[in-house]
Amino acid sequence: MLEVIDVCKSYGGEPLFENVRLAVPAGSAVAVVGANGCGKSTFLRGVLGIEAFDTGSVVLDGAEFDERDPAVRAAVAADVEELPSFPDLSVREHLELMAHAHAVPEAAAVTENVLRELQLQSAADRMPATLSSGQRRRLAFGAWLVRPRRVLVLDEPEQRLDTDGRAWLADALLTERRNGTAVLFATHDRALVDQVADDVLRIGR
């Protein structure tokens, strides 16, 4: 499904990581681990084409990964940056817009189910700017839950979640695997790695 081949990245002449390779087959999960500042987020952004690697390549379904390709955008869901929001749209409207953008049948019903799953019903008519940090984290989850996906890339999804939220996240990622999604995620949560990942990539020394 997703393959990263000998990618390297340097800043100011100093290597951040070198010759990194991995494969994430359908229905599997790879956790990216390492100390703060080691390059985990940069690596994920490079995989997604947001930031260029110095050398190496990323392959999706046997073809070079091009984030401008509509087929790639349809297949890959990600949460690696602050969720962009429109000041005049409510939480519900943001999720419905995402669902409609990906041609999800019965987008309104799908949105309501996601709001219920994320316990955001009480905040559904509020604007994202008024949400707590934990609620904004759950809204970011909603943005990928409402859309089709075969690849899911997440950067430290456990951040700002309480114990119950982390348990929900582990269950959600295991469900993604059972549904055949290839999951790549960076994390500091060892329990999440143990529960979800069947392979681990360590970035940095």
Side-chain angles (χ1 to χ4, degrees), residues 89-160:
L89 294 185
S90 68
V91 167
R92 176 182 284 107
E93 289 166 338
H94 273 88
L95 296 182
E96 281 195 22
L97 177 62
M98 179 66 71
H100 281 297
H102 289 279
V104 173
E106 301 182 7
V110 170
T111 296
E112 292 305 317
N113 286 337
V114 168
L115 287 169
R116 189 177 308 110
E117 179 175 354
L118 295 172
Q119 299 182 1
L120 283 174
Q121 306 102 306
S122 63
D125 296 318
R126 291 169 53 187
M127 304 305 169
T130 69
L131 301 179
S132 68
S133 61
Q135 288 171 324
R136 286 185 64 82
R137 179 77 264 160
R138 284 182 277 157
L139 174 58
F141 293 159
W144 53 262
L145 281 169
V146 297
R147 55 156 293 179
R149 56 207 172 271
R150 293 189 298 114
V151 176
L152 179 61
V153 181
L154 306 174
D155 189 9
E156 298 185 12
E158 75 278 4
Q159 293 298 308
R160 301 190 297 278

Side-chain angles (χ1 to χ4, degrees), residues 28-130:
S28 70
V30 175
V32 182
V33 302
N36 283 327
C38 70
K40 298 188 302 297
S41 297
T42 300
F43 174 75
L44 294 185
R45 288 168 59 84
V47 169
L48 293 167
I50 299 170
E51 188 168 341
F53 290 126
D54 298 337
T55 59
S57 60
V58 179
V59 174
L60 178 64
D61 295 335
E64 184 174 356
F65 190 106
D66 183 352
E67 62 90 22
R68 299 166 298 180
D69 185 340
V72 171
R73 293 192 173 190
V76 180
D79 178 12
V80 300
E81 299 180 297
E82 181 71 19
L83 180 70
S85 61
F86 301 93
D88 296 327
L89 294 185
S90 68
V91 167
R92 176 182 284 107
E93 289 166 338
H94 273 88
L95 296 182
E96 281 195 22
L97 177 62
M98 179 66 71
H100 281 297
H102 289 279
V104 173
E106 301 182 7
V110 170
T111 296
E112 292 305 317
N113 286 337
V114 168
L115 287 169
R116 189 177 308 110
E117 179 175 354
L118 295 172
Q119 299 182 1
L120 283 174
Q121 306 102 306
S122 63
D125 296 318
R126 291 169 53 187
M127 304 305 169
T130 69

